[in-house]
Amino acid sequence: LSLSPLIVSEHDAYVNPSGAVPTIMALYYGEDWIHSNCWYQESNLPEGPPPGPFAGAKWKAALAFKEDLPMTVFVVDAATAGGGLWRGKYAIREWIRRKVGSIGNSCIHLTDAQGDALAKWKD
């Protein structure tokens, strides 16, 4: 798997366990599912679905921050990626799933509407 022409920057960032849910809320800012358990059936938690508020963000945080390790953040050049950005996203997810077990949708994030997310963030 080679995405090196797309990667502009790569950094590890430590997120304190108490900051996992706010981190998920920031990464997925503006996406409706963070308020509900609508994607819960994709990857169940042993303790069951989290209660609200922000049940979706709590669910994603429980999946994405299972271990007290830094998260790796990649900044990619979407303009030069063409359709490769989405293919790369799913290729990386599959590679991670095979390497460490079934993490599903929680191991990598690519904002669905990058332009909208950036505009909301700038407001």
Side-chain angles (χ1 to χ4, degrees):
L1 184 64
S2 175
L3 296 175
S4 56
L6 302 177
I7 297 173
V8 175
S9 180
E10 175 183 347
H11 297 281
D12 285 340
Y14 178 76
V15 177
N16 186 296
S18 66
V21 173
T23 298
I24 293 297
M25 292 174 68
L27 285 171
Y28 293 91
Y29 178 78
E31 296 189 27
D32 291 335
W33 65 264
I34 65 172
H35 302 281
S36 73
N37 280 309
C38 65
W39 293 107
Y40 178 75
Q41 294 307 318
E42 179 183 282
S43 296
N44 296 339
L45 299 172
E47 62 274 15
F54 307 112
K58 291 174 183 175
W59 164 74
K60 183 71 88 169
L63 293 169
F65 294 95
K66 284 184 175 182
E67 297 182 29
D68 192 15
L69 297 170
M71 77 175 164
T72 302
V73 178
F74 296 93
V75 177
V76 297
D77 183 357
T80 61
L85 191 59
W86 287 99
R87 283 190 304 276
K89 169 185 172 176
Y90 291 104
I92 291 169
R93 279 183 177 171
E94 177 59 19
W95 179 81
I96 292 172
R97 185 197 64 74
R98 283 193 318 268
K99 184 173 179 169
V100 300
S102 184
I103 295 179
N105 199 23
S106 299
C107 60
I108 187 168
H109 171 67
L110 177 64
T111 304
D112 294 335
Q114 293 89 12
D116 291 346
L118 186 58
K120 287 178 185 177
W121 179 79
K122 286 182 177 180
D123 286 343

